[in-house]
Amino acid sequence: MRSEFSYICPKSLKEALEILTDYGKRARVIAGGTDLMTEIREGKLEAELLVDITRVPELRFIREEGNQTSLGPLTTHAELVSSMPIMRGAPVLGRAAHSVGSVQIRNIGTIGGNIVNASPAADTTPALVVLGAQVVLERRGGERTLPITDLYLAPYRTVIKPQELVTKITFDKVSNGWSSSFIKLARRKALAIARMNVAVLAKMEGKRAKEVRISVGSSTPTPCRMEKAEALLKGTVPSAAIIEEASQAVAQEMVERSGVRSSTGYKRPAVQGLVKRALQEVLAINQ
Amino acid sequence: MTMVVKGKVGESIPRVDALDKVLGKARFAADLKMEGLLYMKVLRSDRPHARIKDIRTEKAEQMPGVVRIFTHKDIPGKNRTGIINKDHPVLADEKVRFIGDAIALAVAHTEKQAEQAIGEIRVEYEDLPPIFDPQEALRSATLIHEKGNLLYERDITKGDVEQGFAESDIVIQRTYLTSMVEHTYLEPDAGVAWIDDEGRITVCASTQNPHYDHHEIVTSLALDPSQVRSIQATTGGGFGSKLDVTVQCFLALAVYYLRRPVRLVYTREEAYLATAKRHPLIMKYRTGVHRDGRLMAMDIDILGDTGAYGSYGIAVAGRAAVHATGPYRVPNVLVRSRMAYTNHPFCGAMRGFGVPQVAFAHESQMDILAEELGMDPFEIRLLNAFDRGSETATGQILKESVGMRECLRRVRKQRDEMQKVSAIPGKLVGMGIGAMWYGIGNTGVKNPSSACAELDHEGRFTLYTGAADIGQGSSTVLSQIAASEMGIGIEDIRLIRGDTALTPDAGATSASRQTYISGNAVREATGNLRKSVLAEASRFLEIPPQELTMEDGLVKSMKDGEILTTLEEVTARSYSEGKQLRAEGFFDPPTTNLNPETGQGIPYATYAFACHVADVQVDPNTGEVDVLRVVAAHDVGKAVNPSNVVGQIASGVAMGTGFALMEEFVPGQTRSMRQYLIPTVKDVPVVIPIIVEDPEPTGPFGAKGVGEPALIPTAPAILNALAQALGERIYHLPASLERVLKACRREGSS
Ligand SMILES: Cc1cc2nc3c(=O)[nH]c(=O)nc-3n(C[C@H](O)[C@H](O)[C@H](O)COP(=O)(O)OP(=O)(O)OC[C@H]3O[C@@H](n4cnc5c(N)ncnc54)[C@H](O)[C@@H]3O)c2cc1C
């Protein structure tokens, strides 16, 4: 049976934070509702009050400030896809957002919801991880800023307190000299949750890879960078052999972090294939 | 003045129901609103196999808004339903046999109250050992049904297989597996029931067979047939699942007691939990071939899991057996096809009735043989394909309308003319063929249809048919047949369909039978009416009837086409003399029962034939598959509405792509479309349809059927294309990411 709850729709950030402080665990934030509605349908929502933040004007923005881009949590996937600042300064995030669900889901689902829901398969997360995104959490009378990787405790669990809202996501622009790739692997070509996804950023200096960042979704207990593979690539002149080695390193690191599971038989080779394809793309190396 | 009327047989006119659907005017069962409407919810078993010791409803009855709770004790008639064998209780009595079995009904003033009441019904169970494997079911001492766990066995013997294998140069043996598949029609099952003006219990539901629903309601309530009326609501797809009764008997039971309108609409989750699935089959094939490529022998063993109830299990086992050889001449055949009960969700009819499964097996075998022989896959099929005069495994001689070779040739030609797909770096490409045959109508049993045509006193034409249009287009096609036969335009035809109080029984919308069988009934009814009209006209005009013809709504002279009178005038004069213009039509395809031991006989009057060729691209590192394009040729006899045929072909390819690559219903895990993926438009290939018309003399204007054939060759073609791309074969559907990658790695390591 569907969950039952009261509903409130604050009109300012202040009001929203007041309500969250007053209700604590008894309240739950709803943005686009594309994750929460399935919980409600299954009767799994435990909160008694649903706080709809979609009318809070302070939470909806895309801004460029100097070398930084910052996003309000209510930014929808569709807005990310069609935003010039994103396409210029963080195309990897634009591509990730483009792979989410369908037109309908992208029109209503938000980046804040995608982050906080903490699904291991969330598509924007690996992109935000390679961008080195910082997430601002606000509560009444205070705020803290955490790197995105520090938000997560386990699949579907974060450090975010019931009194807190994600109010901003920031990252440095990656334009000059950077190239990027986002690839999603799923059981069908649209409207599917990622079986795995990968985001890669690389900065070249002449023929050498100055820096490479790799993050793979649905592969590790919490989102992270694949540091061993990154270290292997750093400073090298990319070649098919190095890409092969780095892809293997990612697969190995995945198994080290997640242990061997029933899905490993598929995921180990597949992640290697996926990372290889992404690296070939960013480093412009054909097989 | 002559006006050329539109909508004759052979014209691609829009569907007669398209505009109402596009404008949102069509009323589906869930759209029906009535004063004083009550709402129903169903309590379902959460045990796969258990004896019911007690059902306590007192507390639920006291819940706010609850009108009444129903259990099996309330059923006045027979508590067993089933289209072929009656083993399915309306409401569980002694036992539950799968997770989802209906146990009790709550009727309340709101849906929510009904749902809350369901939560307060207490069922006391005694668990029994569950069985989830058909092989185990046949060995087990635990009986799911009293008569045993084997639902049915169909054997076919022709020639001497051992002799055939002895004369073969190559013999190959393989086992093929398919998965349970969920129909995922757009509209979850729904219905509303009430007492109509004539005091009848009236059920209006989403269904493929209103006359069968009527029969089950009558039996479960022990009423006279005249006391029940069953109406087909506009139906949003069925694919076979809406051939079983779902909401109908529940609603009728409530109205029987309450005499008030009641509504039941399944959620998607309930439609997944409680309705039929496609039978998973285990198919063991041993095929022998002469070195010149001629098939010599096939020994085939098929075992299916029908789950908790029979539903269409017997039909699937029978049809799978008859079609197991594929569309090929095989002198020596031995088939054993069995269905076993398990405690899985019950499996029933789904587009193709077992033929999509066996086609995967026989087409894989053909490609393996071609490879072993070093023969081209087209050549081995052309060499063995049925032709006029060929004999099937059941000993039937195919006399007319055998377009198998023509389909193969046309597909091959089309492919030769198209650009080859070339692999992009890092990907593999492959091309594969799938061929099929499909018997139109039910297997070796009577399955008649009747229709009625009428002209009222103002000359308005009405066609009455029980045939349920579930989105496949039968209303359009039957109207076109009537229009052509009557010589009037499609817009002059009023169609009354699917209402047991008004329309004659047309049988089920299944087995690709409505164009062929109901089409014939409609043609006969209309033809008879036309004869009456001409006889009347002849009387008034004093011209012999054989010198008259009807065209564009006018009675004309056969000799010079002179317009002599109009339909309106003829009917007006007839009615003024108290003469009604109404005629009936009937058709039952000429078939024979299959011999119970040897399976010999004439199971179908005619067959459709088809061939698909698929091009695929595979990423060998991840197992991702792109189906790039499918060329699909279908011998439909005559395309009554070519754009409808193309629509069926395109939808069949889409559904076949899902069957090939992603659809797998896992009982206990698959709960909704969240876990169960069907192809999106991005997954569906470009489809190049080719319509082949080898006319069927017994068909209306030469027509056969295409609804199920459209699906069948797709998965075999994709799987054969994958085998070519990978150099390794997949024997288990669907070819998921995991299975494809595993096959890639097998190849890589060898
Ligand atoms: C059909 C379908 C397809 C989908 N496909 C994809 C896909 O391909 N890829 C993918 O990644 N996801 C997919 N999703 C999941 C979902 O759409 C995304 O995760 C989306 O970004 C969630 O955003 P939302 O605004 O709808 O979140 P909501 O459902 O409103 O909220 C999700 C969670 O975040 C919390 N929350 C939301 N905003 C804030 C905030 N500012 N501060 C604190 N907490 C907050 C809520 O309390 C809740 O716990 C799909 C969902 C559906 C229904």
Side-chain angles (χ1 to χ4, degrees):
Chain A
M1 200 172 315
R2 284 202 174 90
S3 311
E4 308 241 316
F5 46 82
S6 308
Y7 170 88
I8 193 162
C9 187
K11 298 288 179 324
S12 70
L13 182 57
K14 184 162 173 287
E15 190 189 345
L17 295 177
E18 294 286 342
I19 297 165
L20 291 179
T21 305
D22 292 348
Y23 277 79
K25 271 193 182 151
R26 292 178 294 134
R28 187 80 181 273
V29 169
I30 184 165
T34 55
D35 279 313
L36 215 58
M37 289 303 286
T38 60
E39 257 182 74
I40 291 169
R41 186 176 170 88
E42 286 167 6
K44 289 185 185 154
L45 183 81
E46 276 161 17
E48 60 191 62
L49 180 70
L50 217 53
V51 184
D52 180 350
I53 58 168
T54 55
R55 307 291 147 81
V56 174
E58 297 98 313
L59 299 179
R60 194 184 290 278
F61 58 87
I62 301 179
R63 274 199 294 267
E64 286 183 290
E65 296 159 305
N67 195 33
Q68 279 214 322
T69 306
S70 57
L71 303 172
L74 290 180
T75 309
T76 63
H77 298 293
E79 285 164 352
L80 290 174
V81 171
S82 59
S83 149
M84 273 316 285
I86 296 301
M87 279 320 181
R88 254 198 324 260
V92 67
L93 182 60
R95 275 178 73 178
H98 187 67
S99 80
V100 171
S102 59
V103 174
Q104 295 90 330
I105 297 296
R106 291 194 292 275
N107 279 341
I108 193 167
T110 66
I111 188 159
N114 204 220
I115 293 171
V116 181
N117 188 56
S119 158
D123 283 314
T124 63
T125 308
L128 291 169
V129 169
V130 294
L131 285 167
Q134 302 279 323
V135 178
V136 179
L137 302 172
E138 273 189 56
R139 61 176 189 286
R140 186 170 69 188
E143 67 167 62
R144 53 180 177 149
T145 302
L146 296 174
I148 181 141
T149 43
D150 287 1
L151 284 183
Y152 298 99
L153 294 167
Y156 304 100
R157 283 186 52 219
T158 68
V159 300
I160 303 168
K161 299 256 154 36
Q163 295 81 359
E164 285 176 321
L165 270 183
V166 170
T167 52
K168 190 157 86 168
I169 300 117
T170 59
F171 43 82
D172 288 346
K173 284 188 203 163
V174 282
S175 34
N176 292 343
W178 287 89
S179 54
S180 68
S181 171
F182 176 87
I183 305 178
K184 173 168 172 173
L185 172 62
R187 294 193 185 279
R188 69 179 170 197
K189 297 188 170 46
L191 205 55
I193 302 300
R195 188 83 173 86
M196 279 190 278
N197 50 22
V198 56
V200 175
L201 277 186
K203 188 174 173 75
M204 298 298 286
E205 210 173 48
K207 285 192 162 154
R208 286 187 188 279
K210 185 165 182 240
E211 188 181 353
V212 181
R213 303 181 195 162
I214 306 169
S215 179
V216 187
S218 263
S219 315
T220 49
T222 58
C224 61
R225 299 247 304 260
M226 292 299 190
E227 282 157 10
K228 285 185 188 149
E230 291 179 0
L232 266 172
L233 290 160
K234 193 181 164 92
T236 62
V237 178
S239 66
I242 290 171
I243 287 178
E244 192 68 52
E245 204 183 329
S247 317
Q248 270 176 25
V250 169
Q252 202 178 334
E253 193 167 348
M254 173 187 86
V255 177
E256 277 163 17
R257 285 176 186 259
S258 305
V260 174
R261 302 152 171 239
S262 60
S263 59
T264 308
Y266 173 73
K267 282 192 170 178
R268 194 201 311 241
V271 78
Q272 202 174 316
L274 204 61
V275 171
K276 191 161 109 183
R277 208 197 298 167
L279 287 173
Q280 281 166 353
E281 204 181 298
V282 280
L283 302 173
I285 298 283
N286 285 330
Q287 293 201 305
Chain B
M1 178 204 73
T2 40
M3 218 176 56
V4 178
V5 297
K6 277 212 305 261
K8 290 214 181 84
V9 166
E11 284 180 37
S12 286
I13 54 158
R15 298 272 183 93
V16 294
D17 52 348
L19 202 59
D20 275 357
K21 282 186 177 155
V22 171
L23 295 175
K25 281 191 191 160
R27 302 212 306 160
F28 294 84
D31 297 328
L32 302 177
K33 299 272 148 57
M34 269 181 205
E35 216 169 305
L37 192 60
L38 299 173
Y39 295 81
M40 178 183 277
K41 281 280 175 188
V42 187
L43 173 71
R44 298 187 177 279
S45 161
D46 57 4
R47 316 289 171 102
H49 197 195
R51 203 172 300 289
I52 296 178
K53 301 187 76 179
D54 195 17
I55 308 171
R56 287 197 305 278
T57 59
E58 309 79 28
K59 190 154 174 230
E61 278 153 16
Q62 303 309 314
M63 296 285 290
V66 171
V67 177
R68 188 161 167 164
I69 308 290
F70 297 95
T71 67
H72 67 94
K73 292 194 187 111
D74 298 301
I75 296 170
K78 198 172 158 217
N79 186 22
R80 287 293 180 277
T81 66
I83 184 106
I84 303 174
N85 64 312
K86 305 274 176 206
D87 61 3
H88 199 155
V90 177
L91 292 172
D93 36 37
E94 282 144 28
K95 284 193 2 174
V96 291
R97 297 182 177 85
F98 77 104
I99 294 175
D101 234 343
I103 299 172
L105 311 170
V107 177
H109 289 283
T110 67
E111 201 162 42
K112 193 170 146 192
Q113 288 167 337
E115 198 174 348
Q116 282 167 339
I118 285 301
E120 296 302 329
I121 299 172
R122 293 287 164 262
V123 183
E124 200 185 313
Y125 296 103
E126 177 194 320
D127 284 316
L128 297 166
I131 303 175
F132 298 117
D133 174 54
Q135 302 172 84
E136 191 197 325
L138 295 182
R139 289 190 302 261
S140 174
T142 302
L143 295 187
I144 296 165
H145 289 272
E146 270 164 27
K147 71 176 185 75
N149 295 341
L150 178 68
L151 168 65
Y152 181 69
E153 173 166 342
R154 157 61 65 204
D155 294 347
I156 296 173
T157 348
K158 179 188 177 185
D160 179 344
V161 264
E162 285 319 318
Q163 184 64 31
F165 285 122
E167 290 168 13
S168 300
D169 294 301
I170 296 171
V171 177
I172 56 159
Q173 186 167 345
R174 299 286 191 282
T175 300
Y176 300 87
L177 305 173
T178 64
S179 299
M180 216 177 256
V181 174
E182 158 60 40
H183 307 67
T184 315
Y185 32 79
L186 268 181
E187 178 212 16
D189 309 72
V192 176
W194 67 92
I195 303 285
D196 79 353
D197 294 343
E198 294 182 36
R200 287 176 291 218
I201 293 180
T202 304
V203 178
C204 181
S206 178
T207 180
Q208 294 180 235
N209 196 351
H211 282 83
Y212 164 68
D213 298 346
H214 179 265
H215 174 83
E216 295 292 29
I217 295 165
V218 165
T219 332
S220 66
L221 298 180
L223 290 173
D224 186 81
S226 66
Q227 293 170 288
V228 174
R229 177 178 180 186
S230 158
I231 303 172
Q232 186 220 354
T234 303
T235 299
F239 304 108
S241 192
K242 290 174 183 171
L243 290 166
D244 302 299
V245 284
T246 55
V247 301
Q248 295 88 335
C249 290
F250 301 153
L251 288 167
L253 178 68
V255 172
Y256 174 90
Y257 284 99
L258 304 174
R259 319 300 291 177
R260 292 180 57 177
V262 185
R263 159 192 143 113
L264 173 56
V265 178
Y266 283 3
T267 58
R268 176 65 64 186
E269 291 87 340
E270 193 168 16
Y272 267 41
L273 182 70
T275 68
K277 306 286 170 273
R278 184 189 287 288
H279 289 85
L281 300 186
I282 304 167
M283 299 167 284
K284 295 193 178 125
Y285 268 68
R286 196 169 149 229
T287 312
V289 70
H290 190 275
R291 83 178 78 81
D292 65 10
R294 274 179 303 130
L295 290 167
M296 298 303 294
M298 282 193 196
D299 179 357
I300 299 160
D301 185 277
I302 300 169
L303 176 59
D305 174 358
T306 202
Y309 297 107
S311 178
Y312 273 83
I314 291 175
V316 168
R319 189 180 279 273
V322 170
H323 290 82
T325 58
Y328 308 111
R329 283 171 286 120
V330 192
N332 306 293
V333 180
L334 185 65
V335 183
R336 176 168 72 156
S337 175
R338 292 170 300 164
M339 272 296 165
Y341 286 115
T342 67
N343 296 109
H344 273 147
F346 69 95
C347 294
M350 183 170 182
R351 203 175 190 181
F353 284 103
V355 184
Q357 293 94 313
V358 296
F360 163 50
H362 64 63
E363 289 308 278
S364 298
Q365 291 287 96
M366 289 305 274
D367 266 28
I368 298 169
L369 289 171
E371 204 184 320
E372 299 260 331
L373 290 161
M375 246 176 125
D376 177 90
F378 273 112
E379 285 305 325
I380 191 169
R381 286 175 173 84
L382 279 166
L383 178 69
N384 290 286
F386 285 142
D387 210 339
R388 242 167 244 193
S390 299
E391 192 186 295
T392 69
T394 70
Q396 179 177 3
I397 306 291
L398 301 174
K399 296 199 185 93
E400 302 272 359
S401 189
V402 190
M404 188 63 249
R405 289 181 184 203
E406 185 60 13
C407 287
L408 284 160
R409 282 191 212 105
R410 293 280 295 277
V411 164
R412 183 189 219 176
K413 182 160 172 284
Q414 175 68 35
R415 247 208 61 99
D416 288 347
E417 284 166 9
M418 289 188 319
Q419 226 183 342
K420 281 229 160 54
V421 297
S422 46
I424 61 169
K427 304 249 180 161
L428 305 170
V429 293
M431 185 273 278
I433 310 172
M436 74 106 227
W437 62 317
Y438 191 83
I440 304 299
N442 300 355
T443 311
V445 293
K446 296 187 81 58
N447 64 129
S449 175
S450 41
C452 180
E454 184 186 71
L455 280 163
D456 69 10
H457 63 286
E458 288 176 334
R460 277 186 309 225
F461 181 94
T462 306
L463 178 66
Y464 297 88
T465 172
D469 193 329
I470 56 170
Q472 90 284 23
S474 57
S475 292
T476 306
V477 162
L478 297 178
S479 297
Q480 284 183 267
I481 289 171
S484 273
E485 189 67 25
M486 199 66 198
I488 57 177
I490 193 93
E491 63 282 352
D492 296 324
I493 291 185
R494 191 166 73 111
L495 182 86
I496 307 282
R497 63 129 172 81
D499 181 338
T500 60
L502 301 174
T503 62
D505 189 354
T509 290
S510 71
S512 303
R513 61 185 286 288
Q514 294 295 22
T515 300
Y516 175 64
I517 301 180
S518 290
N520 267 328
V522 164
R523 189 174 189 190
E524 188 179 276
T526 315
N528 289 341
L529 184 62
R530 174 194 166 101
K531 272 191 215 124
S532 313
V533 171
L534 290 180
E536 286 297 289
S538 147
R539 216 158 50 79
F540 304 138
L541 298 165
E542 298 181 351
I543 298 174
Q546 62 274 18
E547 289 176 25
L548 298 176
T549 184
M550 232 161 63
E551 229 178 75
D552 304 339
L554 303 164
V555 177
K556 295 182 183 174
S557 155
M558 198 77 127
K559 271 191 299 217
D560 52 11
E562 187 197 343
I563 298 168
L564 301 172
T565 182
T566 63
L567 253 183
E568 288 83 351
E569 267 176 39
V570 180
T571 49
R573 290 184 70 166
S574 293
Y575 275 85
S576 71
E577 293 176 13
K579 254 198 192 145
Q580 303 230 342
L581 289 171
R582 190 179 160 91
E584 323 258 299
F586 176 86
F587 182 72
D588 192 14
T591 60
T592 65
N593 292 336
L594 297 183
N595 180 297
E597 266 116 58
T598 64
Q600 297 296 298
I602 300 176
Y604 312 99
T606 186
Y607 296 82
F609 299 90
C611 175
H612 290 189
V613 169
D615 283 297
V616 304
Q617 175 174 288
V618 191
D619 185 323
N621 293 315
T622 59
E624 289 164 288
V625 177
D626 298 305
V627 184
L628 303 172
R629 66 185 178 200
V630 168
V631 180
H634 285 259
D635 170 20
V636 300
K638 165 80 189 170
V640 176
N641 183 324
S643 69
N644 248 9
V645 171
V646 169
Q648 287 293 311
I649 294 173
S651 84
V653 169
M655 199 172 210
T657 303
F659 184 52
L661 298 180
M662 62 186 83
E663 295 193 37
E664 181 167 11
F665 184 94
V666 184
Q669 284 178 37
T670 309
R671 297 179 50 218
S672 72
M673 288 163 88
R674 214 173 156 181
Q675 294 90 19
Y676 191 80
L677 302 190
I678 61 172
T680 68
V681 69
K682 284 191 169 177
D683 300 279
V684 174
V686 172
V687 182
I688 299 139
I690 299 170
I691 298 176
V692 173
E693 295 181 317
D694 189 339
E696 165 55 44
T698 66
F701 300 91
K704 303 190 281 190
V706 71
E708 292 157 295
L711 159 77
I712 295 165
T714 312
I718 293 172
L719 269 287
N720 281 338
L722 276 175
Q724 197 191 70
L726 305 177
E728 268 291 327
R729 195 161 275 282
I730 294 167
Y731 295 94
H732 194 164
L733 292 186
S736 58
L737 292 173
E738 289 80 359
R739 290 191 184 120
V740 173
L741 188 61
K742 207 167 158 195
C744 295
R745 291 170 64 78
R746 257 203 317 268
E747 213 278 321
S749 60
S750 67

